[in-house]
């Protein structure tokens, strides 16, 4: 009711990451703007402008700032800085008017802005499978369930700033939809 651009809610289980997901059709509007339209350094969590706002794409990308106070996507860094962080933090949810989707993290790593990770759109097939294989092979850790991810799956990438101009990306595969 606050803003028509809210397309869902993101919740990373067992963390403080719990925010509305904004969509404007571009990647600038909510970079430094809150849900109420006010200017703010932290901006909002938002869906890639090239994605469909109903999360029906095979690959969706959600952006959020890496805030020092750990708000927004600030705590995502724990996946790479704390050895056992994935244990107990392996799932995230996207809640929309259509229902709740649960994703299991299968890969995470740093990449350059504008890298192959941000490729869109994808459709089931060899190109998408190669993309998935690259996500898995670049992961900082080997995750047992990663081998089960294939080109018939839906993937969400969470992306935030990292150190020295890099981006930290966390990749989840849809495992449950209600």
């Amino acid at each position: 009711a606050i803003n028509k651009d809210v397309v869902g809610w993101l919740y990373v289980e067992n963390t403080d990451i719990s925010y509305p997901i904004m969509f404007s059709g571009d990647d600038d509007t909510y970079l430094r703007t809150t849900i109420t339209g006010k200017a703010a350094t932290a901006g909002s969590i938002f869906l890639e402008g090239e994605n469909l706002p109903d999360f029906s794409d095979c690959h969706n990308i959600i952006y959020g700032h890496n805030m020092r106070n750990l708000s927004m996507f600030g705590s995502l860094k724990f996946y790479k800085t704390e050895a056992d962080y994935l244990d107990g933090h392996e799932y995230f949810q996207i809640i929309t008017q259509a229902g709740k989707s649960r994703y299991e993290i299968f890969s995470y790593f740093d990449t350059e802005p504008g890298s192959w990770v941000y490729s869109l759109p994808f459709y089931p097939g060899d190109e998408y499978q190669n993309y998935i294989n690259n996500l898995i092979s670049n992961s900082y850790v080997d995750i047992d369930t990663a081998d089960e991810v294939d080109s018939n799956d839906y993937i969400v990438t969470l992306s935030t700033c990292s150190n020295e101009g890099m981006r930290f990306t966390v990749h989840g595969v849809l495992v449950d939809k209600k």
Side-chain angles (χ1 to χ4, degrees):
I2 294 172
N3 187 321
K4 66 177 178 46
D5 289 346
V6 175
V7 292
W9 195 275
L10 173 69
Y11 169 59
V12 180
E13 294 180 17
N14 302 316
T15 74
D16 290 336
I17 298 174
S18 182
Y19 294 98
I21 304 167
M22 309 304 293
F23 179 79
S24 63
D26 64 56
D27 294 339
D28 296 319
T29 301
Y30 289 103
L31 188 63
R32 301 278 182 216
T33 304
T34 68
I35 188 173
T36 60
K38 294 182 181 176
T41 302
S44 297
I45 303 296
F46 63 94
L47 180 64
E48 161 67 46
E50 291 185 34
N51 280 129
L52 295 172
D54 64 358
F55 296 94
S56 61
D57 289 314
C58 289
H59 179 223
N60 292 281
I61 304 170
I62 299 174
Y63 300 102
H65 286 292
N66 179 1
M67 303 303 291
R68 287 188 186 129
N69 67 2
L70 302 181
S71 66
M72 306 309 274
F73 280 178
S75 62
L76 287 181
K77 69 176 84 85
F78 296 140
Y79 285 102
K80 63 181 178 176
T81 62
E82 295 183 16
D84 296 327
Y85 191 74
L86 184 63
D87 297 335
H89 304 97
E90 60 264 50
Y91 297 99
F92 61 88
Q93 299 174 29
I94 295 177
I95 302 147
T96 67
Q97 288 186 345
K100 179 169 61 171
S101 299
R102 190 174 194 219
Y103 296 81
E104 183 173 7
I105 295 169
F106 69 94
S107 169
Y108 54 86
F109 56 91
D110 285 293
T111 192
E112 294 179 358
S115 81
W116 59 271
V117 172
Y118 300 100
S119 297
L120 293 170
F122 282 109
Y123 306 96
D126 290 342
E127 183 181 11
Y128 188 37
Q129 186 61 55
N130 289 335
Y131 176 81
I132 291 167
N133 294 344
N134 283 330
L135 292 178
I136 294 167
S137 67
N138 280 281
S139 184
Y140 287 152
V141 296
D142 291 327
I143 301 171
D144 293 340
T145 57
D147 293 338
E148 299 169 17
V149 182
D150 67 34
S151 71
N152 293 309
D153 287 317
Y154 291 87
I155 292 173
V156 169
T157 294
L158 307 179
S159 178
T160 191
C161 296
S162 189
N163 49 357
E164 299 180 19
M166 299 291 281
R167 301 292 183 261
F168 183 60
T169 58
V170 176
H171 313 278
V173 60
L174 180 65
V175 293
D176 188 33
K177 189 168 187 162
K178 296 179 182 177

